[in-house]
Structures are given as structure tokens and as C-alpha cells.
Amino acid sequence: MTFAEDLAVVARREWTRWGGPSEKIDGQLIGFSASRMEAKHPFWTFVGEYWESIGSDLDGRDSPAWSAAFISYCFSQAGAKDRFPYNQNHSIYVAGIDSGNFAGLSLEDPGTTSLAIGDLLWASRSGDDCRPPPLTFIDAQKEVKKIQKKKAKSFCSHSDIVVAVRDGEVDVIGGNVKQAVTRTTYKLDTQGMIKDGRRTFVGVIKNAL
Amino acid sequence: MAIHFDVVRDGKQFSARPDSAAVFAIGSKVRYRNKKTGVERFGLSNDSGHFGSAEAKKQLYLASDYTGVYPFWAQFIEPTAICEGQSFISLNTYDRARFTFGFGQFAAHVPDGDFIRWFRDMLQRPEALDYFPNLEVQDGRIVKVEEHKSIPMEDATSTQPLQLYFNPTLDDVEDAEVVAAAKLIHWTNSHPEARLLQVQHMINTARRLTKESDKRLGLDGVGADLCCVVMDVRHQGRAGFDDLQKALLAAKPFEALLEVGGDGEPERVKNLKAALGPRRAELKKRKWSRSMADFV
């Protein structure tokens, strides 16, 4: 198995551990056992494990967004060791990847890059205490360069791990999606590029580890 | 940061100015008289024949713009889109829905209906704070966020708080109504993903209506041209399953289906016939598959 496949296995394992919450292609939600699963036992303990993977002492009952901790946990569990820039903020680890210091990982344009298992699908988001996020790949790339040069702070965003690709659809798994580890199905165009109005996708992290 | 919209009124015509940018048309005040009750209501419209129609026509839904994403479904929904005005920014605020928007005429009065589902997804887009900074989706429902509390705007039985937020009364055109319309029009014009989301939700609606109709009418193996008419009838709600079943069993089911509900909605039926004319041959190539829940 490749590392990318191992990463998808870890993501699927975690999703199964949460009972399989899913958002289908038509937005239908299934498999959520509570409206805020992350606050229920044992799920908050799983979140605590995600924090632990990046050296945080948060135990999972805390307020910070934990989706980047989930990504970091999955890379760690899949055996990435020092080949991934672990961080609790997506834009910070993407800046690390885009610096070129992490061979096998690269930031690509979602408008021209088809998805494969083990890739990360990166979307911008808004939220409390978030500065206006970039809404295009070009702008996201500019922001990432500024972060690398310490000329800008992080911004709010979200990544999911690609676990399955079909004709016209992609399945991704991410943490802190509707307060759970959730499998979401998004639309692909006929060329295999992401094309779904539910999110603003600003990058693909190609995973050739 | 939230965009501020100023209301600009010129007689019955309403426009809006976003921050310091150029004024853009919203619609005109129209009167709607309920045929049964005689009650008169007032609201905004940018349908053809009213002020703003030229603006609405700049944002038309064309299947060809979306066949790269939805090769078949983009075509399947096009006849209904044409009948509904075809504009991504189509607006009316004068009937019992209180607020209807988009080329699918998503109506705000139906709990968990197409407007509510679509608007929930809109509110989760990153630019939502530019338009509706005090609305959020919490636990799957739209809420208004005020200091220290969240006020539910919709639930499984009612959307009334959200309807009133968009359109406080049907007695006149209020600033809140114009501003809500301005926000949705500006958002839709400015962000292609917002238009894509509208297409996605119209396709979700069409797929759901076809699946529901299959359960009642047995559409497995039936051509998409016939299913398209069935979907349009169900989408507009102009007839029930009994009438559709009779038409499907007729010697010429396509022609019979086109007449269903025609007494009450002759203009709609005429428009649907015209829209299906050049598209029927392509639609006929596919048939509904119950097992796939799709056209094959």
C-alpha cells in the first residue's frame, strides 16, 4: 500500500469510530447520533487524541476548531513522521507544504487538478475571529506566501482527506465537519475537477508520499 | 466585512446601492389579488414585464453552462427553469411564500423545502458574512445570532421567523424586504459558486420529485421526456398523481401529460410545450432507472 492509501485507511477508521456520519451529494445528513457529537462521550476523547498528536494538552472538551488537528493525527497515524508540517491551523501547514520543504506534498490549483485517494481538498471558510479568507486559488497562494514570509497571519480554512473517487463524485473525510468526523460527498465535473457550490475550494494538496 | 445596502426608491421602482458602489435594480412594487379571497397583497417582482427584467435576463440559467458538471441533469431541469423565468435572480415577494428566489422559484414558506435547504448551504459559504452576518446554521437549522442567544428562524414545522425576516408584511414593500432581495441578488451576481449552488439544489429538487413520482406512478423505464413533464407538474403543483397516472396510460402519453393542469395554468403549459419542443429528442434518449435512482 502507498502512503496515500494508508492515510485514507486511517481516515476511514476514524470515521467508523464516530459511527459513520455522512453528508450525501444532495446534502442529506445520515448517521449523526447527536446534534453536537463532539461534545458527547466518547467522541470528545477522540478529539483529545487528535490534539495530542500535535503536542497539545487540550482534552477535546475545549472550544478551538479541531479539523487541522484531525488532519495532523491522520498523517501521524499513517506514518508520515517528519514528512508533514503538523499544525492546528490548515493555512499554516499548507504554507509549510508550499515552501517546498516537504517532498511528495504540493499545493495545486483545484480548477486544474484531478483528485486521487489520499489528497487533501482545501476550502476557505469564515467564522468568529476569522479575517476575510481568500476565495480563489491565486489569492490563497498569495496568502500562503505571505504566511511563509511572516507577513501575514493564518486564516480560517478547512481540509478533508479524499477517500474515494467515482465518476462525477468524490468522498472526503474530515474532522469538525458538522461537529463530528464526517464523510462528505462532493460533485466532480466531467474532467474530474471539484465543482461543488457548497464550499469554496482554494487548493488541492497532492499527496505523493 | 458586511456589505451595507442603501435602498433607492423611484416611485414603484426599487434599487439598492452596495456600500459606495453603483446602484443596481431590484424590482418593482406589484399588486397581487387572490382570486379566491379577493385579498390584495403587495411585494416586489423582477419578472418579465416589470422593472428589473433586463437585469434579471443578464443572469439566465442555460443548461449548456453546466453540462460540464451535470451532463444530463442540467438539460433535464432546463424546460422547468425556462417556465419559471430562467433567471438566477428571479424574485417575487408578494404571495403567501413571502419570498421566492432563483430560477427554480425556491419558496421560503415550506419547512425543509428547497429555499430552506439552499439557503442553509448559502449561509455556510465563506462570503456569507458579507451578506447575512447575523444568520448562521446551528445544528442544521438557520438561526439569528444576537448577543448571548440564538433565535431559531425555522424548524420542521414552520419557517415563519425567516419569512418575516425577509419580508415583514404583505401590505407594502418595506426596506427590510428590499435589502434582503438586494443581498441575494448581489451575492448571486458576484459569486459563480452561488449560482452553481442554485443549480445543484434545483437538480436535487428535480431528482427528489422524480423519485417520489416513481413511487406513485411507476416510472421505471419511462423516458426522460415524459418524466420531465411529470417533474414540472409536481414542481409547480398544478395537478395530482391521479391526473398524471391517467395521462401516462393514454395512447399518446407525452401529449396527454402536457395537458395536465392546463385549465388552471394555460400559460405555463404553453411555455412548457415551447421549451420541450427542441429538447425532447435529446431527453428521450434516457430512461428513469429505479434501481439507479437516475436516468440511464
Side-chain angles (χ1 to χ4, degrees):
Chain A
M1 291 229 302
T2 64
F3 175 82
E5 289 166 339
D6 287 339
L7 183 66
V9 167
V10 172
R12 278 195 291 264
R13 183 193 75 198
E14 288 305 304
W15 174 65
T16 303
R17 196 153 71 125
W18 283 71
S22 302
E23 180 177 350
K24 297 171 75 174
I25 190 88
D26 62 358
Q28 187 188 348
L29 302 179
I30 55 172
F32 289 84
S33 57
S35 59
R36 281 196 68 226
M37 288 181 69
E38 64 184 0
K40 304 283 184 188
H41 191 274
F43 302 115
W44 63 262
T45 68
F46 303 162
V47 177
E49 291 175 38
Y50 307 150
W51 284 122
E52 195 179 347
S53 74
I54 54 170
S56 168
D57 59 3
L58 297 174
D59 73 357
R61 289 174 290 189
D62 321 89
S63 58
W66 50 273
S67 59
F70 174 78
I71 296 291
S72 294
Y73 171 87
C74 290
F75 270 84
S76 173
Q77 289 282 302
K81 296 185 178 162
D82 59 357
R83 294 180 291 168
F84 183 79
Y86 303 94
N87 199 279
Q88 63 181 5
N89 184 290
H90 297 282
S91 67
I92 300 290
Y93 73 66
V94 172
I97 289 167
D98 190 58
S99 69
N101 294 329
F102 292 87
L105 298 172
S106 61
L107 173 62
E108 308 291 346
D109 183 350
T112 56
T113 308
S114 56
L115 295 163
I117 288 173
D119 291 344
L120 300 185
L121 190 52
W122 187 36
S124 64
R125 71 170 180 87
S126 56
D128 293 340
D129 304 320
C130 295
R131 64 184 174 101
L135 299 179
T136 65
F137 171 69
I138 299 291
D139 287 345
Q141 209 175 28
K142 283 179 191 166
E143 289 300 319
V144 157
K145 300 289 184 200
K146 286 184 197 168
I147 292 170
Q148 287 166 4
K149 292 174 185 168
K150 302 197 184 310
K151 289 183 177 174
K153 290 184 178 176
S154 63
F155 56 87
C156 295
S157 60
H158 176 83
S159 288
D160 294 295
I161 298 167
V162 174
V163 297
V165 182
R166 300 179 296 281
D167 193 19
E169 293 180 359
V170 60
D171 291 344
V172 299
I173 291 174
N176 203 8
V177 177
K178 297 186 165 50
Q179 291 85 46
V181 168
T182 300
R183 182 176 183 134
T184 308
T185 302
Y186 287 119
K187 191 80 184 85
L188 300 179
D189 67 16
T190 52
Q191 306 299 310
M193 316 302 170
I194 187 74
K195 204 77 176 177
D196 196 304
R198 285 174 286 175
R199 301 284 179 274
T200 291
F201 299 100
V202 293
V204 171
I205 307 298
K206 285 306 286 182
N207 182 354
L209 287 176
Chain B
M1 202 169 82
I3 302 167
H4 177 77
F5 291 85
D6 284 323
V7 174
V8 179
R9 179 172 183 162
D10 180 6
K12 289 185 175 181
Q13 301 172 353
F14 287 84
S15 304
R17 179 185 288 110
D19 287 337
S20 300
V23 170
F24 65 97
I26 304 300
S28 60
K29 180 178 175 178
V30 293
R31 187 180 63 176
Y32 173 75
R33 185 183 170 88
N34 187 302
K35 288 173 192 166
K36 288 179 187 166
T37 64
V39 173
E40 282 190 341
R41 290 165 168 175
F42 297 89
L44 290 165
S45 172
N46 62 2
D47 290 342
S48 61
H50 296 295
F51 171 79
S53 62
E55 288 299 313
K57 281 176 182 163
K58 289 178 187 170
Q59 291 288 359
L60 290 187
Y61 169 76
L62 299 171
S64 55
D65 291 340
Y66 293 92
T67 47
V69 187
Y70 296 98
F72 177 75
W73 282 94
Q75 299 174 59
F76 184 78
I77 63 171
E78 193 174 40
T80 296
I82 290 169
C83 292
E84 300 283 12
Q86 209 176 349
S87 175
F88 279 103
I89 58 170
S90 179
L91 169 77
N92 82 62
T93 67
Y94 51 78
D95 63 13
R96 69 191 176 107
R98 281 181 179 258
F99 207 95
T100 303
F101 190 74
F103 75 83
Q105 296 280 324
F106 296 161
H109 65 304
V110 183
D112 294 325
D114 43 20
F115 184 97
I116 298 297
R117 294 178 197 208
W118 160 76
F119 194 54
R120 283 181 198 143
D121 276 350
M122 287 286 276
L123 288 176
Q124 292 177 85
R125 293 195 41 74
E127 70 277 6
L129 287 175
D130 294 344
Y131 296 98
F132 295 97
N134 61 345
L135 296 182
E136 276 183 20
V137 176
Q138 290 180 4
D139 300 336
R141 297 279 179 198
I142 299 166
V143 299
K144 186 163 78 172
V145 179
E146 293 186 353
E147 203 169 4
H148 308 307
K149 62 177 178 181
S150 298
I151 301 166
M153 301 297 277
E154 48 103 4
D155 60 26
T157 59
S158 173
T159 68
Q160 193 180 49
L162 190 67
Q163 285 180 281
L164 295 174
Y165 177 91
F166 277 115
N167 187 359
T169 78
L170 293 171
D171 301 328
D172 203 348
V173 173
E174 297 89 5
D175 281 1
E177 181 179 350
V178 181
V179 169
K183 288 178 173 181
L184 287 179
I185 289 172
H186 190 272
W187 195 349
T188 304
N189 285 342
S190 306
H191 295 272
E193 293 98 335
R195 296 193 290 278
L196 174 63
L197 194 58
Q198 213 179 103
V199 175
Q200 280 179 247
H201 276 270
M202 186 58 197
I203 287 172
N204 289 345
T205 296
R207 191 190 290 266
R208 178 174 52 78
L209 289 171
T210 306
K211 282 167 76 172
E212 285 173 7
S213 300
D214 178 26
K215 283 183 187 168
R216 299 291 298 270
L217 302 169
L219 298 177
D220 196 28
V222 171
D225 55 334
L226 301 183
C227 293
C228 185
V229 185
V230 170
M231 190 278 287
D232 185 76
V233 171
R234 298 304 301 158
H235 184 259
Q236 200 201 11
R238 64 179 177 272
F241 287 115
D242 288 349
D243 292 334
L244 288 166
Q245 188 68 275
K246 280 181 201 161
L248 281 165
L249 294 171
K252 292 184 174 181
F254 182 76
E255 287 73 10
L257 281 169
L258 280 172
E259 298 305 322
V260 170
D263 291 344
E265 298 285 345
E267 194 66 19
R268 172 67 169 234
V269 170
K270 185 180 141 199
N271 291 340
L272 184 62
K273 282 179 185 173
L276 276 165
R279 294 170 178 81
R280 188 184 176 197
E282 199 58 34
L283 289 171
K284 266 177 89 169
K285 292 177 183 172
R286 299 236 191 173
K287 296 184 190 309
W288 176 254
S289 164
R290 185 174 301 156
S291 61
M292 302 288 285
D294 205 344
F295 289 98
V296 293

